[in-house]
Amino acid sequence: MLYKETLHKLIELTDKKEVTPKEIYDSLLKRIKQKDGKINAYVSVFEEFAPNDKTGILRNIPITIKDNMHIKGKKTTCSSKILENYTAVFDATVIEKLKSEGGVFIGKTNLDEFAMGSSTETSYFGTTHNPWDLTKIPGGSSGGSAAAVASGEAICALGSDTGGSIRQPAALCGVVGLKPTYGRVSRYGLVAFASSLDQIGPITKDVEDAAILMNIISGKDPKDSTSADVAVDDFTKYLNTDISGMKIGVYDKVLQDCSSDVAKSMEESVDIFKRLGCELESVDLPNSKYAVSDYYIIAPAEASSNLERYDGVKYGFRADNYENLKDMYIKTRSQGFGTEVKRRIMLGTYVLSSGYYDAYYLKAQKLRGLIKQDFDKAFERFDVIIAPTTPTEAFGIGEKANNPLQMYLSDIFTIPASLAAIPAISIPNGISKNSLPLGLQIMANVFREDNIFKCASAFEKEFNIIKNLPLD
Amino acid sequence: MEYEPVIGLEVHIQLLTKTKIFCSCSTDFGASPNTHVCPVCLGMPGVLPVLNKQVVEYAIKLGVALNCKINRFSRFARKNYFYPDLPKGYQISQYELPILEGGFVEIYTDGEFKKIALERIHMEEDAGKTIHKGDGSYVDLNRAGVPLLEMVSMPVMHTPQEAGEYLRSIRKIVRYLGICDGNMEEGSMRCDANISVRPKGETKLGTKAELKNMNSFKHVEKALEYEIERQITAVENGEKIVQETRLWDEKAGITKSMRSKEEAFEYRYFPDPDLVPLLIDDEWIEDVKKDVPELPKERLERFMRDYSLKFDDARILTDEKQLADFFEEALSSSNNHKAVANWILSELLGYLNKDNKSVTDILIKPQDIGELVGLIDSNTISGKIAKAVFKDMYETGKPPKKIIDEKGLVQITDTKLIEDLADKIIASNPKAVSQYKAGKKNTIGFFVGQIMKETKGKANPKIVNEILSKKLEE
């Protein structure tokens, strides 16, 4: 039953020589064999335990990686037909860092194609199912990682978040997911979706595991010009601290857009923080109501350019039976990309076209600045801002698959933090009437992950659902 | 009606950095295809660009040299288009905020200097190369990511010759700065030309054509000459000039339409989110300024002023920085500026042209030329002997003194010896003596020749002349 444990617990057990890394690996493999047929969290599983001779904090305990980050010699598919057989030629910086701390990897998880989606339904390799209820989506795009952690198919995992892709599936699967400050973690080796928004972060069973992984993956990377040269703290020192007196802004305006379950959990969370001695006050972020519209200009614009390299020339899928170069491009990209990716490429191409650039892209950048300003102002008064992670519990598979706008709105609460480049965590804060988990989002100012860990750790002590996870 | 052509040039300068602009691959030319590549310049999924600082420094150097405004804040942008030799599907370039704006290039035309105003200069990466042959097309990505500066002039040139001079001036300056080898034939300097014509006196610009595919200064001039004629003829025939891109066909000597404006690309420029804005402070600029050498025009003026050289001579000497350096090093061993200049201009350049060599790959040392001039000035050797010595110096790299010693070429200035020889020759040539005395004064040449023959050319001609005149008058 080792697969059920948290990373920190397994580190402890390994140090006491009560278990070996191989036993943990085997336990996980067995669990994956048992469960993944129904959940479909993994795109690829590494059957062979490959010990790492580096001594470090990870002690050869296996980590699970979203399949849009490179592990040298392993496939990186981005859950797309166009990269179905692409083998990574180098390690992502996060992978290098995990390896240098004695990390090993057990497999790569499913995602919405190129991380574009909120349900993992756009994957070329089929939908991932929510382990709490197999008829529900696990969220996305890091749905594979979140479902794997929630179901015991992973000890802990890395996901990537562009508009909520770590936090939203973490909330819908009842686990912890942190999107760090933009620039905190190197993007080198993460296949780009929207470069100005993408961040890698941990998806874990509890807050302590998130802190341990953040300690390892954070820091300036000379290979990523957008990574920040900001000192990296030991985040574990912010766990289990007294948070009385902390000032918390409650972004409660959004509760009108939430299900009654979500609204109720939010009220209970506010009560918990009050009990912990925090000072809570309502906060408004007036421009955040435009965040989804803003995001669906900026992210597709960048994506349309980032995805131009998949042209059938150098690597990846190339269509058969083309007549000339242009025909090869058209057929390769028409057949290689799925509907959602194509939709976003078209959106992005449109908003960047001359004549539309000023009206859409430039305006969206200005609005992004205003959204950020709202947060700047709020963080003059508050240490953190809380809000629900999602407006509802996990919805049914297929329910929104043909309604992109409805699908986009499921990220309505996570997108503002992405646009503002601030760190935000989702931790479980309730269980709905339908026995599905709900998440609380805690946002802090740039590079103030310390405040997030303080709050999240204290809250988790008062309320956690780790015992409720579908681990049996 | 009289027409006025209006020309603006876009020049690409390939920078001589050791590594590419966004990765650490070598920029060396001529390696086997696809050997100077890495995941970054191959556009693999998940890679990110990191700016090479040297590229920025070279751009600043050029900006200082051309009096450009150096933008303290500039940004890279993506230029999106599909082509097999463009691995990422976009070229990283600069768009709204280039590193350099304004400035000018000085050209020498019609006997005077003229300033050609610049619009902007920006940094960008080169694409790879597509080679079409036989059964298919092949892509070589060694060049993908090699740094370029694109220089855009204002439309202020009016003749193909001005355009040619503009290019030659740029080549001269970038070579002085050591940032580009300026070789159009090899493609390290490339030029596209925008050209339109308008009735003389008209201030509005006519519809322009963009000319591509000119691989030398001469061909830029020829293509422009052709295009000016073509446009004038079209206008006179009442045809409308269409905005289009035209390719210069070197063999046929004509330009051909490649694509019209309607088919023009939609590049969807936007700021590259993978790169942070480039901030340049005064300190950095001051630092780079220290590496900017004296530029060709200032040096030319200084040569005229300090060494009393004629404009044309000074111009040739300052054409290449290495030659100008060579000249000034030669002066370290002689104060006879004019003579040193002459030896370099006539003798040395003569040999270099004949052998198609540059001043950097020869054996002869500059100080030795100064010394050679010194030896002439001190009457140690004659000018005639010096030419032979110079040939030896050029071929062997030996210093002049050593050559003179080895070959025993020291000039004879011993008057006693020359007097004895003169007496002997006068005595044995009575006929010539009487001719001289009868008034044929140029007979003296015969006597000089005889003495030179006896001394193998080493007798000091001035002394010989003096002694002979004296003795023949007796």
Side-chain angles (χ1 to χ4, degrees):
Chain A
M1 306 295 250
L2 291 169
Y3 67 84
K4 288 186 177 181
E5 300 297 344
T6 57
L7 177 62
H8 59 88
K9 176 82 185 184
L10 290 171
I11 291 171
E12 198 188 306
L13 292 176
T14 316
D15 286 352
K16 286 189 193 150
K17 311 264 186 236
E18 286 177 25
V19 297
T20 66
K22 176 86 167 70
E23 284 164 0
I24 302 168
Y25 202 90
D26 289 342
S27 163
L28 266 180
L29 275 180
K30 207 174 134 202
R31 178 70 177 175
I32 292 168
K33 287 225 166 76
Q34 208 177 57
K35 285 279 164 190
D36 211 46
K38 292 218 165 100
I39 294 174
N40 193 32
Y42 281 88
V43 173
S44 53
V45 176
F46 313 144
E47 302 284 343
E48 200 84 10
F49 174 64
N52 176 344
D53 57 13
K54 296 267 183 346
T55 49
I57 188 144
L58 292 174
R59 293 160 171 82
N60 279 234
I61 297 163
I63 317 284
T64 294
I65 305 294
K66 186 180 183 179
D67 203 16
N68 61 350
M69 294 168 227
H70 293 317
I71 302 175
K72 191 176 175 179
K74 305 287 186 194
K75 280 183 188 171
T76 305
T77 69
C78 294
S79 288
S80 178
K81 180 179 179 181
I82 216 154
L83 286 178
E84 187 176 1
N85 291 307
Y86 181 80
T87 301
V89 294
F90 63 91
D91 276 332
T93 296
V94 289
I95 298 298
E96 262 180 18
K97 286 179 176 246
L98 291 170
K99 279 184 175 174
S100 71
E101 284 294 337
V104 299
F105 307 98
I106 191 154
K108 313 266 313 262
T109 51
N110 203 13
L111 60 147
D112 282 292
E113 185 179 4
F114 282 101
M116 297 177 191
S118 310
S119 66
T120 323
E121 289 170 292
T122 71
S123 167
Y124 177 63
F125 303 112
T127 305
T128 297
H129 297 255
N130 192 316
W132 292 69
D133 176 347
L134 295 175
T135 69
K136 305 289 184 194
I137 58 100
S141 67
S142 308
S145 285
V149 172
S151 64
E153 287 189 58
I155 305 303
C156 58
L158 289 188
S160 68
D161 190 313
T162 306
S165 279
I166 287 174
R167 291 160 285 159
Q168 186 254 21
L172 302 186
C173 290
V175 293
V176 173
L178 172 68
K179 179 201 93 77
T181 309
Y182 182 80
R184 177 67 97 173
V185 179
S186 168
R187 294 184 295 119
Y188 191 78
L190 166 70
V191 179
F193 158 17
S195 312
S196 74
L197 295 156
D198 295 343
Q199 265 296 285
I200 295 170
I203 296 179
T204 54
K205 290 181 187 124
D206 69 3
V207 176
E208 184 171 348
D209 279 5
I212 293 171
L213 289 179
M214 277 301 290
N215 278 351
I216 300 170
I217 64 175
S218 301
K220 169 79 185 165
D221 178 8
K223 295 195 197 102
D224 177 359
S225 316
T226 64
S227 70
D229 201 358
V230 172
V232 178
D233 246 338
D234 172 6
F235 295 115
T236 60
K237 76 180 187 214
Y238 301 109
L239 306 172
N240 311 313
T241 57
D242 177 7
I243 63 162
S244 59
M246 251 184 130
K247 294 186 180 65
I248 300 178
V250 185
Y251 184 35
D252 47 15
K253 213 167 204 174
V254 299
L255 292 177
Q256 61 201 33
D257 303 323
C258 296
S259 70
S260 56
D261 285 333
V262 170
K264 193 170 144 268
S265 304
M266 189 64 191
E267 280 162 28
E268 287 165 6
S269 301
V270 166
D271 287 340
I272 289 174
F273 281 119
K274 277 184 187 154
R275 273 212 309 279
L276 289 168
C278 299
E279 294 166 27
L280 290 96
E281 202 183 310
S282 173
V283 64
D284 191 18
L285 303 160
N287 289 294
S288 279
K289 59 176 172 287
Y290 306 117
V292 174
S293 314
D294 200 40
Y295 175 86
Y296 277 97
I297 289 169
I298 292 171
E302 293 179 10
S304 71
S305 173
N306 283 331
L307 269 59
E308 286 201 1
R309 67 190 64 195
Y310 310 110
D311 57 7
V313 173
K314 309 159 293 279
Y315 47 74
F317 171 78
R318 182 191 291 185
D320 294 325
N321 305 319
Y322 48 87
E323 277 158 27
N324 51 40
L325 179 65
K326 195 172 168 189
D327 193 40
M328 189 278 279
Y329 284 149
I330 292 170
K331 285 188 172 143
T332 296
R333 291 169 62 85
S334 299
Q335 296 166 24
F337 290 132
T339 308
E340 183 58 29
V341 170
K342 280 188 265 193
R343 182 174 5 254
R344 296 200 196 189
I345 289 174
M346 282 189 278
L347 265 176
T349 303
Y350 180 80
V351 300
L352 287 178
S353 299
S354 57
Y356 300 102
Y357 180 85
D358 288 5
Y360 292 102
Y361 185 78
L362 215 55
K363 207 170 192 175
Q365 290 295 357
K366 286 181 186 155
L367 177 55
R368 187 176 180 179
L370 294 176
I371 290 169
K372 169 96 179 101
Q373 267 178 30
D374 287 348
F375 277 103
D376 288 345
K377 228 183 267 163
F379 287 123
E380 285 170 12
R381 289 164 56 208
F382 300 109
D383 299 309
V384 296
I385 294 170
I386 58 170
T389 309
T390 60
T392 64
E393 64 191 24
F395 46 90
I397 288 171
E399 202 180 308
K400 295 182 180 176
N402 297 313
N403 190 338
L405 276 183
Q406 277 304 308
M407 186 70 86
Y408 296 170
L409 286 172
S410 64
D411 289 332
I412 187 165
F413 302 147
T414 49
I415 285 175
S418 297
L419 291 170
I422 58 171
I425 201 169
S426 176
I427 53 173
N429 78 331
I431 293 179
S432 73
K433 287 192 289 287
N434 296 324
S435 303
L436 288 167
L438 300 170
L440 170 75
Q441 191 179 197
I442 306 171
M443 299 170 264
N445 207 349
V446 285
F447 302 108
R448 294 310 303 270
E449 280 85 352
D450 54 338
N451 281 337
I452 286 182
F453 280 117
K454 278 183 198 165
C455 271
S457 163
F459 185 89
E460 184 184 50
K461 276 219 160 88
E462 302 298 314
F463 182 93
N464 74 69
I465 57 171
I466 196 158
K467 293 281 182 295
N468 304 61
L469 285 176
L471 295 169
D472 295 323
Chain B
M1 201 193 288
E2 229 189 304
Y3 290 90
E4 179 188 50
V6 180
I7 302 165
L9 298 183
E10 288 172 19
V11 178
H12 283 90
I13 302 291
Q14 186 179 308
L15 297 181
L16 286 170
T17 54
K18 283 200 180 65
T19 56
K20 294 185 179 181
I21 182 166
F22 297 120
C23 63
S24 52
C25 288
S26 163
T27 55
D28 277 352
F29 181 76
S32 308
N34 301 308
T35 52
H36 290 170
V37 293
C38 72
V40 175
C41 56
L42 287 176
M44 290 290 192
V47 298
L48 295 169
V50 176
L51 178 61
N52 179 347
K53 251 180 112 175
Q54 184 92 70
V55 173
V56 180
E57 282 167 10
Y58 280 8
I60 296 174
K61 260 186 167 181
L62 188 60
V64 170
L66 301 179
N67 301 291
C68 303
K69 176 177 158 237
I70 299 166
N71 283 328
R72 303 304 197 261
F73 180 98
S74 75
R75 194 139 68 180
F76 285 94
R78 294 184 183 177
K79 178 181 181 180
N80 298 282
Y81 65 94
F82 286 99
Y83 205 68
D85 61 22
L86 190 69
K88 298 187 294 296
Y90 58 84
Q91 177 194 27
I92 304 178
S93 179
Q94 293 192 295
Y95 189 57
E96 301 143 307
L97 294 163
I99 184 166
L100 304 171
E101 284 179 281
F104 54 84
V105 174
E106 280 190 278
I107 65 170
Y108 187 72
T109 171
D110 289 336
E112 59 179 3
F113 281 100
K114 184 177 170 187
K115 286 177 183 171
I116 303 298
L118 295 168
E119 188 190 320
R120 56 184 274 151
I121 300 175
H122 68 248
M123 300 176 279
E124 62 183 26
E125 58 177 346
D126 208 344
K129 235 188 214 164
T130 308
I131 301 139
H132 306 282
K133 63 175 180 189
D135 56 332
S137 298
Y138 299 82
V139 176
D140 176 6
L141 295 175
N142 283 349
R143 211 180 64 185
V146 167
L148 301 175
L149 292 180
E150 181 176 331
M151 308 178 59
V152 183
S153 83
M154 301 292 249
V156 290
M157 286 170 268
H158 300 293
T159 64
Q161 291 68 38
E162 278 187 359
E165 275 312 303
Y166 172 78
L167 292 172
R168 287 181 193 98
S169 289
I170 290 176
R171 178 177 60 179
K172 199 190 282 191
I173 288 166
V174 295
R175 286 188 177 180
Y176 258 70
L177 296 172
I179 62 173
C180 169
D181 63 19
N183 193 328
M184 265 196 89
E185 285 79 2
E186 281 175 19
S188 57
M189 194 171 147
R190 284 166 248 162
C191 173
D192 298 336
N194 288 307
I195 161 95
S196 61
V197 297
R198 64 185 173 194
K200 201 148 188 146
E202 172 67 61
T203 49
K204 236 178 79 205
L205 287 171
T207 306
K208 67 175 180 180
E210 187 184 10
L211 306 185
K212 286 181 178 287
N213 200 36
M214 293 88 72
N215 297 324
S216 70
F217 296 146
K218 268 262 121 22
H219 281 295
V220 172
E221 291 171 351
K222 279 187 186 165
L224 285 169
E225 269 158 28
Y226 174 87
E227 185 62 18
I228 290 165
E229 276 309 306
R230 187 192 72 82
Q231 290 190 13
I232 290 173
T233 309
V235 172
E236 295 206 316
N237 291 341
E239 290 166 32
K240 217 177 154 217
I241 305 281
V242 288
Q243 189 171 334
E244 61 183 351
T245 302
R246 299 178 69 88
L247 284 188
W248 170 242
D249 182 334
E250 198 175 301
K251 281 202 191 101
I254 58 168
T255 65
K256 291 179 187 161
S257 179
M258 185 171 108
R259 59 171 178 260
S260 71
K261 197 193 173 194
E262 286 72 47
E263 301 164 67
F265 289 121
E266 163 68 80
Y267 289 122
R268 290 149 42 226
Y269 280 102
F270 76 107
D272 191 333
D274 286 334
L275 289 157
V276 291
L278 173 62
L279 305 175
I280 299 170
D281 56 18
D282 293 347
E283 200 184 334
W284 197 5
I285 295 172
E286 288 310 314
D287 238 33
V288 174
K289 261 189 189 163
K290 289 180 202 144
D291 286 337
V292 175
E294 186 182 28
L295 292 162
K297 189 179 167 232
E298 283 103 68
R299 202 161 195 188
L300 178 150
E301 286 163 350
R302 182 168 61 82
F303 278 16
M304 288 172 66
R305 197 174 57 235
D306 291 0
Y307 305 136
S308 314
L309 299 181
K310 282 187 301 207
F311 177 84
D312 287 336
D313 291 346
R315 189 150 188 255
I316 297 169
L317 284 173
T318 53
D319 216 28
E320 288 277 348
K321 181 174 180 293
Q322 287 80 0
L323 185 65
D325 289 346
F326 188 93
F327 167 64
E328 294 212 274
E329 275 171 58
L331 293 184
S332 68
S333 53
S334 169
N335 286 323
N336 192 344
H337 309 138
K338 254 191 117 121
V340 171
N342 283 336
W343 276 94
I344 291 175
L345 289 166
S346 53
E347 289 302 304
L348 182 64
L349 289 185
Y351 283 111
L352 292 180
N353 283 338
K354 193 175 87 204
D355 296 347
N356 198 17
K357 272 189 172 173
S358 132
V359 73
T360 50
D361 49 28
I362 52 172
L363 297 169
I364 192 165
K365 287 165 205 69
Q367 299 81 350
D368 290 347
I369 293 182
E371 273 189 24
L372 183 71
V373 170
L375 291 168
I376 302 164
D377 290 348
S378 65
N379 289 326
T380 312
I381 54 170
S382 69
K384 203 174 159 206
I385 293 273
K387 285 200 177 184
V389 173
F390 187 91
K391 184 166 188 281
D392 239 18
M393 288 162 66
Y394 177 76
E395 281 164 0
T396 64
K398 285 183 191 165
K401 273 202 184 108
K402 193 161 180 221
I403 294 167
I404 290 164
D405 284 350
E406 278 174 9
K407 302 205 166 168
L409 296 175
V410 176
Q411 188 161 265
I412 297 163
T413 48
D414 181 343
T415 46
K416 178 78 179 57
L417 195 135
I418 295 174
E419 274 177 10
D420 289 352
L421 272 173
D423 287 342
K424 200 175 108 194
I425 287 160
I426 287 170
S428 52
N429 289 287
K431 208 172 143 198
V433 174
S434 52
Q435 273 177 359
Y436 181 87
K437 294 208 162 154
K440 282 187 98 179
K441 297 288 179 200
N442 55 3
T443 323
I444 194 164
F446 164 77
F447 293 101
V448 173
Q450 289 298 311
I451 290 179
M452 285 303 178
K453 203 172 152 196
E454 288 281 329
T455 59
K456 297 196 175 87
K458 290 187 286 182
N460 180 314
K462 203 171 152 235
I463 299 173
V464 171
N465 260 303
E466 277 169 16
I467 290 173
L468 279 171
S469 319
K470 210 175 95 201
K471 290 200 183 281
L472 287 168
E473 295 294 337
E474 277 169 2

